[in-house]
Each structure stands twice: as structure tokens, then as C-alpha cells.
Amino acid sequence: MPPWVRLVLLLLLPLLTLAIYWDGQRYDADLLDFTAARKEQGLAALFPPRSGNFSRLEPVRHYGSENLYEYINGHAEYFRSAGFQQLAVGEYGPAGATQPMLVVDLFHMGEPLHAFGVLMDEAGEQAVPVAVGDSGFRVGGGLRFISGPLFVKMSTFSPQAEEQMLALAQAIHTLAGKRFGATAKAVFRFPELGRETGMRFIKESYRGMPFLNNCIEKSFVREGGEKSFPTFLAPGKPENHAALLGKLEAFLQGEGISFETVSTQGLSFTRVRDPYEGEWFYVPLKEGLFGVFQPFDEELGRAIALFASHDAKP
């Protein structure tokens, strides 16, 4: 081979390398968004291919914040403001069905607290508690529950599908538990102060206190008692307790409400003599600020201190 040919070939090599590099820069970014793809595949894996006589009819559909309105037009903004991250929709029916009889919506709300807030907004007076997931209930022809950060909504108008619905819900909750770990009940634990009589979610300004947001209120009846009393948990990390307590004390002082510290079992409580709400007390726990709208007594103090001591163990 003549020397000049070898020289030309040597010069072509860097040019070919540059051409390959230049062409590689022109790609569809969505095709290489492996993070988003993994998330979608993760939610799709929570839909069992079959449950009882029902099978999944079509591939799972996915929606993000940008196109959620295509599925729930008119309600998308509510979910976005509540922490929505993504939605996966699966449809089920018996073998050979051409139309779904049961639709399952998995809303990933980012955190269990956000999912719980949506669930409470969905619960009406007709809700019937069901032992599935966390705080599950039936309403109309459907079923609602939360599992970790997921708000799960199952809808049907078919009596045949209602028979399959509970088993499918249990299967989804089991798969979600393996994926997300701790359940909402584990996150929102309350001291055992008696028989539970109700629970609700207050997104903003709990009892007129603008710094108490995303609160969970749970009511109890003490053993041998008849009157229900509310307690609340304002979830938060221990490192944020000091700031929240400072705001609460400033609020009480500003309102002219007296308060004092009482201790039992090594735990310090703040007893509030409130002319509007009556006497109540609060204490910072590992899960957040915990309050009881009931006069402080030793029995309540011991129950909360026992909860706190167990909670502190690794």
C-alpha cells in the first residue's frame, strides 16, 4: 500500500470518531430516562396478573403530574397540591372479557401522610371500614385504602367484581408492603389510651393554630368510660420539635392562655388551661407533637410515658 494511502486512512480515523460522537448527541431523552422508567415499572409490578377468576386485561397505564388531567380532569389539581407523584391504572375482568369490570388506581402520593390525607377526604358518612391495607373502607361500589405512600382506589359497578375486589386488594397491599416497607400505621403510631372511636386528617391550622398542619386526630374512650376525647399528632422529626414548641408557646402567650410543666415517669408534659378548649396537654414524642384534649392525670401520663419509652428503643 502506497504511503499516501496509509496517511489518508490515519487521518480518517479521528474524523470517523468525531462523526460517531456528534451523532450520539442526538437522542430521545425520554428513551434514556431510566429513573422514570424504573418508577413506572415499580408501580406496574404492584398489579397482580390475576386474582381469583379475574385477570389484568390491558397493560398498566401511567400518568404523571403533567398529564394527570387526562385521567381525572377537574380533580388533578387537588392531587397535585396533596403531594401527587404518579398514577398507575390497571383494569381487570374475567377471562374473555372485552371491557373491564374492576378498575384499580394506584396514586403515589410521595409520603404516607399525604396518602392518608387523600384517604380521609374520600371517606364520607357512608364509608364502611374493611380490614385491608391501612384504614381501608368500602364506599359505594368501591374500596379505598392506603399502603405506604400509595392511595389505592378500586371501582366497580359489577357484583361479580365486588367478590373479587377484596382478594385483589389484599394482594396489592402485600406487594406494596414489600416495595415500600413500613405501613402508615407504623408511621402514625399513637399511645394506647383506650378504645378508638374515630380518626380524621386536618391539613391546615389545627384548631385555629396556623403552625399545626397535616395533623392526625384520633379519638378514644377510656376503659370504663363513655365520653370520647380527641388526641392529635402533628408528625415531625425530633430536630424540629424545638421550633414547633416555640411557636406553640408563643401562640398561647399571645392568646393569654396559661400553661405549666408537669412531669411523670421521667416525661415532661405541658398542661394548658384553655378558656376556649378546656384543659388539655401536649408532649413532644419521637413521631411528632402529641396532644390530648383531656385534663392531665397520672394514668394518661403513665400510658404516654410507657409508649415513649418503648418508642425510644432501637
Side-chain angles (χ1 to χ4, degrees):
M1 180 182 294
W4 66 271
V5 174
R6 293 179 182 175
L7 180 60
V8 169
L9 290 176
L10 288 173
L11 291 174
L12 280 175
L13 283 175
L15 292 175
L16 286 172
T17 302
L18 181 62
I20 292 171
Y21 169 79
W22 181 259
D23 188 62
Q25 303 312 300
R26 294 177 296 168
Y27 62 89
D28 184 345
D30 290 339
L31 292 177
L32 297 181
D33 188 355
F34 298 122
T35 301
R38 279 198 296 269
K39 285 182 178 179
E40 291 190 351
Q41 290 169 3
L43 285 187
L46 303 181
F47 292 87
R50 63 183 56 83
S51 176
N53 298 327
F54 274 36
S55 299
R56 205 172 67 218
L57 299 181
E58 299 288 344
V60 173
R61 306 197 306 274
H62 296 274
Y63 299 87
S65 183
E66 73 286 352
N67 66 342
L68 182 61
Y69 70 92
E70 295 177 3
Y71 187 68
I72 49 172
N73 191 19
H75 208 40
E77 189 54 40
Y78 162 78
F79 277 94
R80 281 197 289 262
S81 65
F84 171 81
Q85 292 195 352
Q86 56 182 317
L87 165 66
V89 181
E91 297 176 336
Y92 289 83
T98 56
Q99 296 294 326
M101 288 187 177
L102 176 60
V103 179
V104 182
D105 301 335
L106 299 188
F107 290 87
H108 192 312
M109 299 304 300
E111 297 182 13
L113 180 62
H114 299 160
F116 180 78
V118 173
L119 182 76
M120 290 295 100
D121 284 346
E122 289 274 326
E125 295 181 355
Q126 305 300 320
V128 179
V130 176
V132 61
D134 286 343
S135 306
F137 60 82
R138 279 183 179 272
V139 57
L143 185 64
R144 313 279 189 272
F145 63 95
I146 56 175
S147 188
L150 299 181
F151 164 63
V152 183
K153 180 178 181 180
M154 307 176 76
S155 306
T156 182
F157 296 98
S158 165
Q160 182 184 357
E162 287 188 29
E163 297 174 1
Q164 305 289 331
M165 190 160 49
L166 187 58
L168 179 58
Q170 296 284 13
I172 291 173
H173 179 55
T174 299
L175 292 171
K178 294 177 181 177
R179 167 80 186 277
F180 296 107
T183 66
K185 283 183 177 177
V187 177
F188 310 137
R189 296 192 307 118
F190 278 63
E192 296 180 2
L193 302 182
R195 176 171 54 85
E196 296 180 18
T197 58
M199 184 164 62
R200 66 190 184 110
F201 176 76
I202 302 90
K203 188 174 182 179
E204 296 177 339
S205 300
Y206 180 67
R207 297 202 176 222
M209 292 179 273
F211 44 87
L212 288 184
N213 300 319
N214 296 320
C215 287
I216 302 165
E217 184 183 83
K218 183 179 285 189
S219 298
F220 295 91
V221 172
R222 299 175 75 171
E223 185 177 357
E226 296 180 353
K227 187 177 179 181
S228 175
F229 63 92
T231 68
F232 73 89
L233 177 67
K237 297 179 180 179
E239 56 265 33
N240 298 327
H241 285 170
L244 183 58
L245 290 172
K247 292 179 181 177
L248 179 50
E249 290 185 3
F251 174 83
L252 295 174
Q253 290 170 344
E255 294 292 321
I257 299 173
S258 64
F259 57 93
E260 62 183 350
T261 300
V262 293
S263 299
T264 188
Q265 302 289 315
L267 195 63
S268 294
F269 301 82
T270 299
R271 178 160 57 189
V272 182
R273 301 187 188 281
D274 193 329
Y276 310 105
E277 300 282 0
E279 186 176 318
W280 58 284
F281 63 95
Y282 62 85
V283 59
L285 298 176
K286 182 180 178 182
E287 289 82 359
L289 182 67
F290 178 66
V292 181
F293 283 89
Q294 179 85 345
F296 178 83
D297 61 45
E298 286 294 324
E299 183 180 348
L300 286 173
R302 282 197 299 272
I304 297 170
L306 179 63
F307 172 84
S309 65
H310 288 168
D311 200 40
K313 294 179 180 178

